Amino acid sequence: VREQMAQEIVFLKQVSNDYENMRQENLRLKDMNREQDQTLEELGQQLSWYKLSLDNLKDESTTGRVWEKDAEVASCKICAKEFNIARRKHHCRNCGGIFCDKCSDNKMELPSSANKVRVCDNCYHFLLERNSKM
């Protein structure tokens, strides 16, 4: 009986040691996981920053133009109709000019945007012609 109890004590000490080793390994893995999560978060922030920088560079390289200021434009650059409550101003996302809805109701994909965006009639026809030659 004594020998059996001694064997059980040895066995329980081994189980206790195994448990402690597993607990230490678990803590080590949790720390590693926490560090990897933090690294992924930092990489995600850098990726977002680089994506914004790239979008800004695309905008600058594709248009090279500055958006016209609303306050400086009183009429549509194509049809020359004056803006009012019923005739609103719209920016062309390609040239930056201000146009009425009728003269800027076209939608196209531009290198600077993932979705189709508003472009004026002039840019629409120019871009269609340019894209058809590619």
Side-chain angles (χ1 to χ4, degrees):
V1 174
R2 224 179 193 170
E3 188 176 311
Q4 188 178 6
M5 289 187 109
Q7 287 176 347
E8 284 185 30
I9 289 174
V10 169
F11 174 75
L12 289 174
K13 283 182 181 178
Q14 183 60 44
V15 168
S16 177
N17 286 340
D18 290 346
Y19 171 78
E20 183 58 27
N21 290 338
M22 287 180 167
R23 193 180 70 73
Q24 291 294 329
E25 179 68 6
N26 185 26
L27 291 175
R28 186 185 71 77
L29 291 172
K30 281 182 179 180
D31 285 343
M32 188 185 326
N33 188 26
R34 194 174 309 114
E35 288 173 10
Q36 289 174 347
D37 282 347
Q38 188 174 8
T39 301
L40 282 173
E41 187 175 330
E42 290 169 4
L43 286 172
Q45 290 170 348
Q46 285 181 350
L47 179 62
S48 294
W49 185 84
Y50 285 125
K51 187 175 184 311
L52 286 173
S53 297
L54 181 62
D55 287 345
N56 288 339
L57 287 174
K58 281 182 182 177
D59 286 342
E60 290 171 12
S61 68
T62 56
T63 63
R65 296 173 185 92
V66 178
W67 274 29
E68 287 185 298
K69 294 181 179 156
D70 285 7
E72 295 174 359
V73 179
S75 60
C76 176
K77 293 181 78 166
I78 294 176
C79 69
K81 291 181 181 174
E82 286 194 21
F83 295 114
N84 56 38
I85 293 175
R87 188 175 297 112
R88 297 185 54 221
K89 299 175 183 181
H90 299 280
H91 279 93
C92 171
R93 299 305 195 266
N94 188 59
C95 70
I98 296 180
F99 305 90
C100 68
D101 183 60
K102 242 182 173 177
C103 296
S104 65
D105 61 353
N106 312 288
K107 300 268 184 177
M108 291 190 88
E109 288 182 14
L110 298 176
S112 61
S113 64
N115 300 320
K116 290 184 176 185
V117 292
R118 180 183 293 267
V119 294
C120 67
D121 290 347
N122 295 340
C123 288
Y124 181 75
H125 294 297
F126 171 77
L127 293 169
L128 274 181
E129 187 176 322
R130 187 179 73 181
N131 291 341
S132 68
K133 292 179 181 177
M134 294 179 143

